[in-house]
């Protein structure tokens, strides 16, 4: 609820975001303390904060969910999950997951030669599975079979039939018995953004006729026992549990028939797809939500598989899942500083045209009448049409030389005045009823643009690419009612560089309510759930590189908790500044300009040399003083070694910023 503005001395109503890594009753710390630590370490924003305990907790949660479903159902197999490292290959992330998964024989999945080199180095547990997905060449296959030479459970998953003879040939050359996985193209498939991962026209997997041919090939060579695993993946972010169950049903029947044909399949791999509720509605209707939780997922998979195995009278296989998103999404938070706003039709702009002057043109007077007569919501449609028509008329007259620039500016200012008057009626969902769509659209477009120091293409690429919604929240001032309807614009020179889809009102909205910036004060917002795919797929658009990072652990790890999640609440007690609650284990510096230059094959030294040559020739010609030239050269040099993002820009007041 709205609170009175905080008194400057009272931290109790500070409204800063608290982190409760062990749930609301466990230890807690203040995200603003983390921000202070980041500043003290001389790191600039934007900055990723990784809560490594959360990764650990997600691994435990998933494994325990399957193990508890298996034990409560008396299921005949066990669970052997794998983490697909493509979802986040960062060393610290993989380290943490492997360590947390050790008691569960949790394995890894690779989709390329590069990933396989990592996975072979990290997955040394002979009981844990290594899944090799993706298209494979001879080298990939030799690398995978090297794992078999070491006695590990490295399963080469056959994605297309033509791979099979090569795998068998190379295995025989290397004198090793391969572990084969057969990936099936199921007819069941997910819906939404990743729909095309499944179904008859999917990129990977064997059709049923191909599967039959694979069985023949194995039988011809007496290698039926090498087929150890059956695999399918019907898409990421499965929003409905119904789809999961249908896929398991279809896959389980195929498994049963293959077993009856004599294949020695021991593992049933349901792929990835376990969702993340990015918008918190648990609805499953929006691609950013889902209608089930991890326990329900595990239970339904095991139950459905068991039922079909019993019906078909075949052994109950070990269950493998390849969840990536649900393991890594929660652990990463991108903290971004806001350094200014852009407001269309600002109160100042409107105030400047609100008083009539002598000899105003007729169109200006008529526009004034439209503003004056807009007194209630019921007049929205009519007033909006009139205002638009008047604005168009003013433009035509201006083009014909019949309207002065001053009068046209007044018409525009008054047009924004009409739009601003309408805005309260377009804000809440219930009020939007009977408001014309164009009026709602213009109100959304008139949202303030908060200038945020980050690149959407580096930090939340899925928002740009596939309209994925991420929770975005101010990290402080949470006891003050946010009054500015806003969108976020990033610092790339790209009109697509904006976030205009937010979690609001138990769903999504095109705008987010943010606080008015205070002169001389930083304003931080957090972009949550960015640990899956975003970290890895981000690109160098505009040469904005990788972000600074800090890795955080809570003081003490408690083994017995069920669910470790980052839970945001509003601080209602004074901050006790307890340094035991968390510690920064590691700092990873983000890219400097020189790092990004190097990646694009520029030589930073060569650029410095070129700049020095230009400065020298300017000094020689007398257009630069030597001292000034040297200082400029040093400045250029320091820029090559600086962070790629904007440096400590603090909002001061309207249109002014300070470094
Ligand atoms: N396994 C395979 C074969 C995949 O293609 C993917 C990603 O789409 C995954 C696992 C990971 O899926 P998710 O991140 O939805 O768990």
């Amino acid at each position: 609820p709205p609170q009175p503005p905080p008194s400057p001395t009272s931290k109790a109503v500070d409204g800063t975001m608290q982190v409760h890594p062990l749930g609301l009753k466990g230890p807690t710390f203040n995200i603003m303390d983390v921000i202070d630590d980041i500043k003290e370490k001389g790191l600039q924003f934007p900055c990723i904060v990784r809560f490594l305990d959360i990764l650990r907790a997600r691994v435990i949660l998933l494994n325990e969910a399957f193990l508890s479903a298996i034990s409560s159902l008396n299921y005949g197999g066990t669970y052997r999950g794998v983490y697909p490292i493509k979802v986040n290959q960062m060393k610290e992330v993989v380290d943490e997951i492997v360590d947390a998964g050790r008691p569960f024989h949790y394995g890894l999945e690779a989709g390329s030669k590069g990933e396989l080199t990592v996975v072979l180095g990290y997955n040394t547990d002979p009981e844990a599975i290594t899944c090799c997905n993706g298209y494979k060449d001879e080298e990939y296959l030799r690398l995978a079979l090297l794992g078999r030479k070491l006695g590990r459970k490295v399963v080469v998953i056959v994605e297309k039939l033509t791979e099979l003879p090569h795998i068998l040939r190379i295995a025989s050359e290397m004198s090793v018995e391969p572990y084969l996985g057969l990936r099936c193209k199921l007819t069941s498939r997910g819906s939404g953004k990743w729909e095309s991962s499944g179904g008859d026209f999917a990129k990977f997997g064997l059709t049923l006729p191909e599967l039959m041919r694979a069985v023949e090939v194995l039988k011809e060579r007496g290698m039926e026992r090498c087929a150890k695993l059956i695999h399918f993946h019907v898409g990421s972010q499965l929003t409905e549990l119904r789809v999961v169950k249908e896929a398991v049903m279809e896959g389980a029947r195929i498994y049963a028939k293959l077993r009856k044909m004599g294949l020695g399949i021991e593992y049933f791999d349901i792929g990835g797809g376990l969702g993340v509720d990015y918008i918190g509605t648990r609805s499953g209707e929006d691609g950013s939500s889902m209608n089930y939780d991890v326990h329900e997922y595990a239970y339904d998979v095991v139950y459905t598989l068991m039922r079909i195995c019993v019906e078909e009278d075949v052994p109950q296989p070990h269950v493998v899942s390849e969840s990536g998103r649900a393991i890594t999404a929660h652990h990463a938070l991108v903290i971004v500083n806001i350094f200014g706003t852009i407001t269309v039709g600002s109160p100042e702009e409107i105030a400047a045209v609100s008083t009539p002057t002598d000899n105003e043109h007729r169109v200006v007077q008529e526009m004034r009448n439209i503003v004056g007569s807009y007194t209630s919501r019921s007049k929205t449609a009519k007033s909006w049409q009139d205002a638009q028509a008047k604005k168009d008329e003013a433009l035509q007259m201006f083009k014909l030389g019949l309207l002065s620039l001053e009068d046209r500016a007044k018409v525009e200012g008054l047009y924004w005045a009409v739009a601003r008057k309408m805005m309260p009626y377009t804000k809440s969902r219930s009020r939007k009823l009977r408001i014309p769509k164009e009026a709602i659209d213009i109100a959304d477009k008139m949202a303030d643009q908060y200038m945020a120091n980050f690149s959407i293409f580096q930090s939340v690429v899925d928002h740009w690419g596939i309209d994925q919604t991420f929770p975005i929240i101010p990290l402080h001032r949470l006891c003050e009612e946010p009054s500015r309807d806003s969108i976020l614009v990033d610092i790339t020179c790209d009109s697509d560089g904006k976030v205009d889809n937010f979690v609001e009102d138990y769903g999504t909205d095109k705008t987010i309510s943010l606080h008015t910036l205070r002169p001389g004060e930083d304003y931080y917002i957090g972009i949550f759930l960015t640990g899956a795919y975003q970290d890895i797929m981000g690109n160098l658009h505009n040469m904005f590189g990788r972000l600074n990072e800090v890795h955080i652990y809570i003081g003490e790890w408690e083994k017995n908790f069920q669910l470790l999640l980052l839970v945001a609440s509003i601080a209602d007690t004074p901050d006790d500044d307890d340094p035991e609650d968390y510690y920064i284990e590691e700092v990873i510096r983000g890219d400097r300009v020189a790092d990004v230059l190097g990646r694009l094959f520029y030589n930073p030294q060569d650029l410095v040399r070129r700049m020095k040559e230009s400065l020298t020739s300017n000094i020689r010609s007398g257009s630069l003083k030597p001292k000034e030239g040297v200082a400029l050269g040093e400045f250029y040099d320091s820029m090559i070694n600086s962070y790629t993002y904007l440096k400590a820009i603090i909002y001061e007041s309207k249109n002014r910023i300070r470094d």
Side-chain angles (χ1 to χ4, degrees):
Q3 300 277 325
S7 73
T9 51
S10 165
K11 260 205 144 184
V13 286
D14 210 6
T16 50
M17 183 168 284
Q18 296 287 110
V19 183
H20 299 270
L22 301 183
L24 283 170
K25 294 208 171 97
T28 174
F29 55 90
N30 194 314
I31 199 74
M32 295 310 284
D33 288 339
V34 178
I35 288 181
D36 287 344
D37 284 350
I38 291 171
K39 285 190 203 160
E40 257 171 42
K41 288 182 187 297
L43 290 181
Q44 291 170 35
F45 292 91
C47 185
I48 297 180
V49 181
R50 290 190 195 285
F51 297 93
L52 295 175
D53 301 284
I54 290 177
L55 271 180
R56 179 170 286 271
R58 299 297 299 178
V59 172
I60 295 171
L61 175 68
L62 180 68
N63 278 278
E64 288 189 348
F66 270 101
L67 293 179
S68 107
I70 283 170
S71 110
S72 70
L73 288 163
N74 244 335
Y75 181 75
T78 188
Y79 174 67
R80 288 280 184 268
V82 295
Y83 167 63
I85 71 165
K86 69 164 165 243
V87 180
N88 194 326
Q89 300 105 335
M90 295 270 310
K91 179 178 172 302
E92 281 73 14
V93 171
V94 175
D95 271 339
E96 199 66 38
I97 291 174
V98 168
D99 193 51
R102 202 161 280 129
F104 306 101
H105 304 294
Y106 192 56
L108 295 171
E109 184 256 19
S112 67
K113 269 186 277 187
E115 288 183 357
L116 187 53
T117 57
V118 175
V119 165
L120 285 177
Y122 273 70
N123 192 11
T124 52
D125 177 353
E127 281 307 306
I129 300 279
T130 293
C131 287
C132 303
N133 282 327
Y135 292 143
K136 301 162 196 77
D137 63 7
E138 176 119 359
E139 290 173 343
Y140 187 150
L141 293 173
R142 283 188 186 276
L143 205 53
L145 291 168
L146 182 158
R148 284 292 303 131
K149 276 268 183 203
L150 299 173
R152 303 205 197 138
K153 292 194 165 70
V154 178
V155 184
V156 181
I157 295 187
V158 181
E159 303 271 13
K160 55 187 173 98
L161 193 56
T162 49
E163 286 173 359
L164 185 56
H166 292 293
I167 302 169
L168 299 180
R169 171 179 57 82
I170 297 168
S172 133
E173 282 170 20
M174 291 175 72
S175 313
V176 76
E177 193 161 285
Y179 270 24
L180 298 173
L182 299 172
R183 178 163 177 174
C184 312
K185 273 185 189 169
L186 298 190
T187 301
S188 323
R189 58 181 182 163
S191 56
K193 304 187 204 308
W194 289 274
E195 194 177 340
S196 60
S197 307
D200 297 336
F201 301 103
K203 181 170 152 193
F204 293 113
L206 306 178
T207 60
L208 288 183
E210 285 171 333
L211 197 58
M212 293 302 96
R213 179 66 199 132
V215 175
E216 273 169 29
V217 170
L218 291 174
K219 282 192 163 180
E220 279 160 19
R221 304 184 190 205
M223 295 183 82
E224 300 94 312
R225 68 185 178 286
C226 294
K228 292 281 183 210
L229 178 146
I230 174 172
H231 170 51
F232 53 86
H233 170 78
V234 292
S236 193
Q237 183 65 4
L238 296 173
T239 53
E240 292 179 60
L241 197 49
R242 178 185 56 82
V243 173
V244 177
K245 282 193 276 190
E246 272 168 24
V248 172
M249 253 188 265
E250 191 182 346
R253 291 282 174 203
I254 297 177
Y255 158 75
K257 309 296 175 203
L258 292 178
R259 277 297 305 214
K260 288 178 181 171
M261 292 167 109
L263 296 197
I265 299 171
E266 294 167 22
Y267 296 91
F268 185 83
D269 178 354
I270 59 171
L274 174 56
V276 167
D277 196 353
Y278 290 91
I279 57 175
T281 54
R282 258 203 90 162
S283 61
E285 284 158 22
D286 188 293
S288 300
S289 179
M290 84 237 233
N291 70 356
Y292 58 93
D293 67 19
V294 178
H295 283 279
E296 288 161 347
Y297 175 81
Y299 188 90
D300 279 17
V301 166
V302 177
Y303 176 81
T304 312
L305 179 56
M306 183 167 132
R307 187 172 60 75
I308 289 173
C309 290
V310 170
E311 267 177 38
E312 295 270 1
D313 196 19
V314 290
Q316 293 169 19
H318 303 309
V319 180
V320 178
S321 77
E322 305 182 352
S323 299
R325 179 187 300 278
I327 294 289
T328 57
H330 306 77
H331 89 281
L333 160 66
V334 177
I335 299 183
V336 166
N337 55 322
I338 303 289
F339 61 94
T341 60
I342 302 165
T343 305
V344 177
S346 67
E348 294 83 6
E349 228 173 278
I350 292 171
V353 297
S354 60
T355 317
T357 52
D358 294 341
N359 303 324
E360 274 180 345
H361 194 282
R362 171 190 54 84
V363 251
V364 181
Q365 290 168 10
E366 285 166 359
M367 193 61 128
R368 280 195 194 288
N369 290 341
I370 296 170
V371 180
S373 62
Y374 182 74
T375 47
S376 73
R377 181 164 72 121
S378 58
K379 300 206 168 170
T380 303
K382 166 106 180 49
S383 299
W384 187 239
Q385 275 162 12
D386 290 350
Q388 271 182 310
K390 208 45 66 190
K391 185 170 173 259
D392 290 346
E393 188 184 336
L395 173 64
Q396 293 311 326
M397 294 181 79
F398 180 71
K399 283 195 207 157
L400 294 171
L402 302 174
L403 190 70
S404 70
L405 187 59
E406 291 84 347
D407 278 343
R408 188 175 163 215
K410 282 183 183 172
V411 170
E412 298 231 332
L414 293 164
Y415 172 82
W416 296 125
V418 179
R420 287 254 163 238
K421 273 188 146 181
M422 279 172 2
M423 277 177 75
Y425 304 120
T426 59
K427 260 190 178 174
S428 86
R429 272 165 215 278
S430 57
R431 286 177 169 195
K432 279 180 187 171
L433 296 172
R434 289 194 298 275
I435 300 284
K437 188 175 171 313
E438 314 83 73
I440 293 172
D441 286 351
I442 193 76
D444 283 338
K445 283 192 190 129
M446 284 185 72
D448 290 336
Q449 297 176 35
Y450 271 56
M451 291 138 86
N453 189 14
F454 82 119
S455 156
I456 187 175
F457 306 96
Q458 174 64 243
S459 294
V460 277
V461 69
D462 274 351
H463 180 81
W464 166 69
I466 51 170
D467 273 340
Q468 169 88 50
T469 310
F470 292 88
I472 296 179
I473 321 169
L475 299 178
H476 51 147
R477 299 177 65 186
L478 294 170
C479 286
E480 286 171 57
E481 186 175 14
S483 56
R484 309 295 293 258
D485 241 6
S486 321
I487 63 162
L488 293 183
V489 290
D490 74 1
I491 54 172
T492 63
C493 303
D494 196 315
S495 331
D496 280 353
K498 62 180 180 202
V499 181
D500 54 3
N501 192 15
F502 300 91
V503 181
E504 282 259 310
D505 279 349
Y506 306 105
T508 58
D509 209 343
K510 288 185 176 157
T511 61
I512 180 176
S513 302
L514 293 176
H515 302 95
T516 307
L517 299 187
R518 290 195 193 124
E521 202 179 287
D522 289 317
Y523 188 57
Y524 294 102
I525 56 162
I527 309 176
F528 288 80
L529 305 188
T530 52
Y533 301 102
Q534 313 312 298
D535 263 348
I536 282 308
M537 297 199 314
N539 61 51
L540 288 182
H541 189 13
N542 262 154
M543 290 174 66
F544 291 114
R546 284 202 69 87
L547 274 60
N548 287 327
E549 288 196 25
V550 295
H551 297 177
I552 288 197
Y553 279 104
I554 50 167
E556 202 182 315
W557 174 250
E558 287 180 28
K559 270 206 155 163
N560 294 338
F561 67 87
Q562 286 295 310
L563 176 63
L564 180 72
L565 266 179
L566 182 69
V567 181
S569 77
I570 294 169
D572 57 3
T573 50
D575 181 4
D576 60 4
D577 257 349
D578 183 356
E580 298 301 307
D581 285 343
Y582 73 90
Y583 63 95
I584 294 182
E585 186 243 5
E586 186 162 20
V587 169
I588 299 185
R589 301 242 161 212
D591 283 330
R592 293 166 313 134
V593 173
D595 300 323
V596 178
L597 286 171
R599 232 168 285 152
L600 301 172
F601 308 111
Y602 291 98
N603 181 341
Q605 276 93 40
D606 178 50
L607 291 174
V608 171
R609 186 188 51 76
R610 285 165 184 254
M611 175 52 71
K612 284 203 172 134
E613 273 172 18
S614 302
L615 288 166
T616 310
S617 80
N618 275 270
I619 292 169
R620 283 204 190 113
S621 70
S623 60
L624 264 183
K625 292 194 183 106
K627 207 171 163 191
E628 203 181 353
V630 170
L632 288 173
E634 282 169 2
F635 171 69
Y636 182 83
D637 208 355
S638 73
M639 286 303 96
I640 291 242
N641 287 301
S642 67
Y643 194 32
T644 54
Y645 291 86
L646 298 185
K647 186 178 175 189
I649 287 179
I650 297 177
Y651 175 80
E652 277 239 309
S653 68
K654 190 176 167 344
N655 301 333
R656 276 204 299 139
I657 49 177
R658 164 163 76 85
D659 177 343

